[in-house]
Amino acid sequence: MNARGGAALTFGVAVALIAGITLGSGGANVMPVFVDDFASRFRLSDSGAGLVAATQLMATAVVTLLLAKRAARPGRVLMTRFGLALAGAGFLGATAATGPVTLVLANLVLGAGLGAVYAAATAALAATDDADKASAVTISGTVGVTALLIMGVPAANHGLGEGTGFLLMALCCLLAWPLIRRLPDGAATPDAGPAGGGGASAARPSVVLLLGTALLWAVTQGAWSYASVLGRQHTGMSHSAVSAVLAISSVVALVGAVVGPIAARRFGRMRSMAVFVTAQALAMAVLVLTHDPVLFTAAAVLWQTCQLAVLVQMLAAAALIDPTGRLVASLSGAGALGTGVGPLAVGAVLDDAGADVLGLVLALGTFVASLPLLRMTVTGAEASAERGLAPSPAADTG
């Protein structure tokens, strides 16, 4: 342990964090594959499939936010396993669904289960002794495992029959059951009560911070959802070429998870975060507006790299401010909420105003959303400095 007094990031702890966050965010990350299954299996319209997807995503976001305070207390392994059981039952229900109604109900159940998993796993990030390293390792592992799921779920649907991709996800919930036993637990007394002593104030994120987080991920997820369409329409690239570019950018983006913590230590968290946010906003605008395939490819790679760097720094700063994990879980829930509404909002702007206006909206939205997050990074740096001078975590009375 160091001055933060957290759990060492051993192999078992890293595996537990990666398993929990991969499944907790799996609904959103694998959603394009799920939507394809919804639409083909039940012959749903685009709006119908989108409604089913929104049901799952909103359930995950709401439950994550509601359980953020509970996730700061002891019992994270039990909470995660309860979520895994509930999500597994929902995935099985989605596999056996016979109509749109049962499909919606199954997605509501699995979304709630994934929310419990996501709240506990993200809160556990704050219980490690090195928030930057834990965030970088966890996000990198999550990206890698998610890539396997994105390939495995459609392969199951096409090779074994429609709906079996959900059966694969249920199996993943079962496999994760023993892996999360090393999940770092919460403190016995995460806050000092209503009076506001200890970490109580830090554990309650402001509405502005939650809205900023939700807006940032609404912009990001919305742009990502339409990246393939924009690439084909504006650059003339084939569907397979655009898919290859986006896949490559997702893999290369892992550099951002490594560079983010290094830049924070070398140049300061606030300064490095501001640079990554600025580069992300400009790259996103270029990706939407450009008609050049080479520029589109470069913008996609830069955008995804900066996005992961921002995500790692955001989680690390929140963990430093609030070691109980409540702040991390709350921000994750707000991000999940933005992820759910982002594609709808971006699609509406694209239809009504066109790509030129959308590029401007996305860039400005990224800057505006980042302001409260940049302020949070300053607070995180101050908290880190204070804890570095304190003889023990108990001496930090807020």
Side-chain angles (χ1 to χ4, degrees):
M1 294 184 182
N2 66 0
R4 291 186 78 238
L9 188 64
T10 62
F11 178 77
V13 170
V15 168
L17 290 169
I18 291 170
I21 293 182
T22 297
L23 283 173
S25 61
N29 292 334
V30 192
M31 186 54 72
V33 177
F34 289 160
V35 168
D36 185 48
D37 178 73
F38 299 158
S40 62
R41 186 154 49 121
F42 297 100
R43 293 176 175 80
L44 298 176
S45 63
D46 291 339
S47 59
L51 177 61
V52 177
T55 299
Q56 181 193 133
L57 294 174
M58 293 302 291
T60 300
V62 170
V63 171
T64 302
L65 287 170
L66 291 177
L67 293 182
K69 184 177 181 179
R70 171 63 187 85
R73 301 198 297 267
R76 285 180 185 145
V77 173
L78 181 62
M79 179 178 171
T80 305
R81 285 178 169 169
F82 173 78
L84 289 173
L86 190 62
F91 282 124
L92 291 176
T95 304
T98 57
V101 175
T102 53
L103 181 65
V104 168
L105 292 176
N107 275 271
L108 188 62
V109 171
L110 75 87
L114 294 180
V117 174
Y118 200 41
T122 52
L125 277 173
T128 59
D129 60 359
D130 188 334
D132 284 294
K133 183 179 179 181
S135 298
V137 170
T138 302
I139 296 304
S140 298
T142 297
V143 170
V145 178
T146 299
L148 296 177
L149 290 176
I150 290 176
M151 292 186 293
V153 170
N157 286 333
H158 296 151
L160 302 176
E162 292 180 331
T164 51
F166 288 106
L167 189 61
L168 176 61
M169 294 298 296
L171 179 61
C172 289
C173 290
L174 181 62
L175 293 176
W177 187 277
L179 297 180
I180 53 91
R181 69 181 184 277
R182 298 292 302 277
L183 204 65
D185 213 349
T189 54
D191 47 53
S201 60
R204 297 184 178 90
S206 68
V207 174
V208 173
L209 180 58
L210 292 178
L211 289 176
T213 304
L215 176 59
L216 180 62
W217 294 111
V219 169
T220 301
Q221 185 63 37
W224 179 254
S225 299
Y226 287 90
S228 178
V229 174
L230 292 169
R232 287 187 288 108
Q233 291 180 349
H234 289 185
T235 67
M237 299 169 68
S238 66
H239 186 279
S240 58
V242 174
S243 298
V245 167
L246 297 181
I248 292 171
S249 69
S250 298
V251 175
V252 177
L254 289 173
V255 174
V258 178
V259 172
I262 295 175
R265 290 189 176 99
R266 179 161 185 156
F267 304 107
R269 195 178 298 278
M270 171 67 174
R271 185 179 302 173
S272 61
M273 182 83 159
V275 171
F276 284 127
V277 167
T278 302
Q280 178 183 348
L282 294 176
M284 193 183 303
V286 170
L287 180 134
V288 173
L289 298 175
T290 186
H291 293 270
D292 181 77
V294 176
L295 199 54
F296 178 88
T297 302
V301 172
L302 179 61
W303 171 32
Q304 291 299 294
T305 301
C306 292
Q307 179 190 340
L308 275 192
V310 169
L311 175 59
V312 168
Q313 293 216 47
M314 182 185 79
L315 294 176
L320 289 169
I321 294 170
D322 178 16
T324 70
R326 182 179 177 183
L327 179 58
V328 181
S330 297
L331 294 181
S332 299
L337 188 63
T339 297
V341 303
L344 296 175
V346 169
V349 174
L350 186 60
D351 288 339
D352 295 338
D356 291 343
V357 174
L358 177 62
L360 180 62
V361 168
L362 292 177
L364 290 177
T366 301
F367 281 119
V368 172
S370 68
L371 294 179
L373 294 174
L374 290 173
R375 173 56 188 160
M376 185 186 72
T377 63
V378 176
T379 306
E382 294 171 351
S384 179
E386 290 174 3
R387 289 193 180 96
L389 296 175
S392 68
D396 183 14
T397 56

